[in-house]
Amino acid sequence: MPQAQSPAVVNPLDNPFESMMYRFDEASKCIELNEAIYNLLKNPVKQIIVSLPISLDDGSIKTFEGYRIIHSNVLGPSKGGIRYDINVSLDEVKALAAWMTWKCAIVDIPYGGAKGGIKCNPKNMSANEIERLTRAYTLAMMDIFGPNKDIPAPDMGTGPREMAWLMDEYAKAHGSTEYAVVTGKPILLGGCLGRVEATGRGVMIATLAALDQLKMNSYNTTIAIQGFGNVGSHAAHLLMERGGKIVAISDISGAYYNPQGIDIPAAMQYVKNNHGSLDNFAQAEKITAEALFSLPVDVLIPAATENVITKHNANKIQAKLIVEGANGPTSASADKIIHEKGILVVPDILANAGGVIVSYFEWIQNKVGYSWTLERIKRRSDRMLKDAFAMVYKTAQQKKVSMRIAAYILAIEKVAKTYQYRGKF
Ligand code: NAD
């Protein structure tokens, strides 16, 4: 029998859902949000928990727990990734689903917010086991997913491969192929050019826009990035191409620091050859995971997981700019400290919206059966992000609030107004 663990003592504001609610409350107060709408928006419209028994390669049967939360579908079909991680919890997925609602509203795409997850450790599973699990999850969510209802996408621990299995399982059940049911697919299966690097590209665009406001140039700007997966590695590469000096990177194996700058394409190749890990990366000195946050750099980009910047390490941050590639990397307990230190934060719901923008483009192309060029995709997504950045920055200045609260204000106002027009009561 597994050993019971005693619960760790955690600050409630370090719980992702509480952190999200704290900012939601603050923004709602700023705009004196109507109480009925407040109560409506604070609860997800649907919460699904499923049990997924699958056979493992050794012949045994194991049951996994899967979740899908639809936070809102008032702006359109709900949209959000699926996370495979051993630490996935209902509260985490609830927070991630709400962030999707705010994110889609800020960048002005006609989607509501959702998120899914399966509590599993994909690194310890074979491809066959992951395929069976993905198909079981899709089957369990057959009535939830749909090209005009709820459209999943990749998140941590999933990618084009899982999205292809999901699309195939959905097609089998419906007797016809429906590409638009999921985004982030392989290009051959209706995927979109530029989708893989889209979130990292958006992080790069947001970083450049913020540096501009700080009257700083990207050339020789020093950057530390936590997380070297899809978002972190592409953001690193694109920023390096624009003259940025990436001095530290990290992943689950540890953090690596080289004040002269790390050769990012070489690091990406290393990860590819090293089973997806930076372990033993020799071109930089190994430092502790925590030390990455207090390095003397201009820009800090958390691009791994939630609550890595808390009241315990916020004081040690030396960066002038934080660009949140990950969802929820800063706990609400750290907001005040960061604000008082004068650090500019580009919040997650703006900084990492490049992924959902290009997912939206994929969905449009699937619906009309026509492919856009990479140039068109980049041009349009860059424009949408720059416009959203400008709007959030302006609101922050006008209302004298952080960019995070400004982003929540804009998103909540839009969703609340839509509810009022639709009169869904
Ligand atoms: P990924 O699985 O490709 O990569 C995650 C990276 O983080 C890996 O390098 C992993 O080793 C590292 N990591 C995990 N836990 C860590 C820890 N405790 N310390 C240091 N490194 C750690 O995931 P991804 O798709 O790059 O997603 C990263 C973040 O960005 C998540 O918060 C995700 O929700 C968010 N996000 C992703 C997308 C997307 O399009 N992929 C879009 C928007 C937001």
Side-chain angles (χ1 to χ4, degrees):
M1 287 289 282
Q3 292 281 306
Q5 287 181 348
S6 53
V9 181
V10 283
N11 182 331
L13 291 186
D14 289 346
N15 164 310
F17 188 70
E18 296 302 330
S19 264
M20 188 283 297
M21 280 309 297
Y22 185 81
R23 279 78 173 247
F24 172 64
D25 284 354
E26 208 177 321
S28 300
K29 271 185 216 133
C30 274
I31 53 172
E32 295 173 4
L33 183 69
N34 168 303
E35 198 184 332
I37 302 277
Y38 171 88
N39 287 328
L40 188 76
L41 291 181
K42 79 175 189 191
N43 294 306
V45 297
K46 217 176 258 186
Q47 307 185 45
I48 303 114
I49 305 178
V50 289
S51 243
L52 306 167
I54 63 153
S55 49
L56 301 182
D57 292 346
D58 65 6
S60 64
I61 294 172
K62 188 168 175 185
T63 301
F64 295 85
E65 191 161 273
Y67 313 98
R68 187 75 181 164
I69 304 283
I70 297 178
H71 173 259
S72 169
N73 47 15
V74 70
L75 291 182
S78 50
K79 185 89 188 82
I82 302 170
R83 178 172 291 196
Y84 286 3
D85 189 88
I86 201 64
N87 297 316
V88 162
S89 69
L90 194 64
D91 257 7
E92 179 187 53
V93 181
K94 267 165 77 176
L96 289 161
W99 282 322
M100 285 305 295
T101 302
W102 314 137
K103 199 180 297 186
C104 294
I106 290 169
V107 294
D108 207 18
I109 54 182
Y111 287 144
K115 205 79 182 190
I118 303 179
K119 213 175 191 21
C120 66
N121 190 346
K123 286 229 173 349
N124 292 344
M125 294 170 75
S126 71
N128 279 333
E129 289 168 342
I130 298 175
E131 176 171 356
R132 286 196 285 276
L133 185 59
T134 305
R135 290 186 184 278
Y137 179 75
T138 309
L139 210 53
M141 298 295 171
M142 203 51 80
D143 294 339
I144 303 298
F145 295 156
N148 296 313
K149 281 162 63 181
D150 180 39
I151 310 145
D155 190 70
M156 266 173 80
T158 59
R161 181 183 69 166
E162 286 74 18
M163 302 306 113
W165 290 329
L166 192 157
M167 191 208 80
D168 183 68
E169 194 63 26
Y170 188 87
K172 276 199 312 201
H174 287 80
S176 66
T177 297
E178 183 62 84
Y179 289 121
V181 70
V182 57
T183 61
K185 302 178 292 293
I187 303 289
L188 260 176
L189 284 184
C192 180
L193 293 170
R195 173 62 186 90
V196 173
E197 62 274 28
T199 308
R201 185 175 176 85
V203 170
M204 175 271 288
I205 294 286
T207 306
L208 297 188
L211 286 174
D212 228 29
Q213 293 300 339
L214 294 172
K215 310 266 179 289
M216 288 167 69
N217 192 307
S218 66
Y219 194 73
N220 270 341
T221 290
T222 52
I223 304 169
I225 303 184
Q226 187 217 19
F228 203 65
N230 174 290
V231 180
S233 67
H234 288 291
H237 189 202
L238 292 163
L239 281 162
M240 185 182 153
E241 282 182 345
R242 280 145 189 89
K245 196 199 266 188
I246 320 301
V247 295
I249 54 178
S250 78
D251 70 1
I252 199 75
S253 73
Y256 306 83
Y257 178 50
N258 180 348
Q260 304 310 315
I262 295 169
D263 179 347
I264 297 299
M268 287 168 95
Q269 191 57 45
Y270 182 86
V271 167
K272 214 171 176 182
N273 299 340
N274 195 34
H275 310 291
S277 167
L278 279 167
D279 200 16
N280 289 323
F281 181 61
Q283 285 189 29
E285 179 199 346
K286 190 159 184 183
I287 56 170
T288 65
E290 198 46 43
L292 179 134
F293 293 95
S294 50
L295 289 173
V297 291
D298 299 313
V299 185
L300 177 62
I301 303 182
T305 183
E306 296 100 44
N307 289 331
V308 293
I309 301 176
T310 66
K311 66 174 183 184
H312 302 294
N313 61 3
N315 248 323
K316 298 185 199 140
I317 295 175
Q318 299 193 54
K320 303 170 191 78
L321 171 64
I322 298 174
V323 183
E324 296 183 338
N327 284 308
T330 309
S331 142
S333 72
D335 279 356
K336 195 162 168 261
I337 304 169
I338 290 173
H339 191 67
E340 281 168 3
K341 279 172 75 93
I343 302 170
L344 179 64
V345 180
V346 186
D348 45 6
I349 51 177
L350 171 63
N352 68 35
V356 75
I357 292 177
V358 176
S359 270
Y360 168 55
F361 294 165
E362 180 172 330
W363 181 77
I364 296 175
Q365 292 169 78
N366 291 161
K367 283 193 157 258
V368 295
Y370 176 78
S371 301
W372 296 2
T373 62
L374 183 58
E375 265 323 295
R376 184 179 194 185
I377 288 156
K378 286 193 210 164
R379 189 167 20 90
R380 290 196 168 192
S381 60
D382 291 358
R383 180 77 269 145
M384 285 169 77
L385 268 170
K386 284 179 194 165
D387 288 351
F389 182 97
M391 207 171 58
V392 172
Y393 191 82
K394 192 169 136 200
T395 306
Q397 301 285 301
Q398 281 171 347
K399 296 202 181 287
K400 300 195 175 15
V401 293
S402 65
M403 279 189 80
R404 188 190 311 284
I405 297 302
Y408 272 75
I409 288 176
L410 287 166
I412 294 169
E413 273 178 339
K414 180 166 181 194
V415 178
K417 265 188 206 144
T418 311
Y419 258 117
Q420 275 154 353
Y421 281 126
R422 289 184 70 156
K424 261 191 165 184
F425 312 110

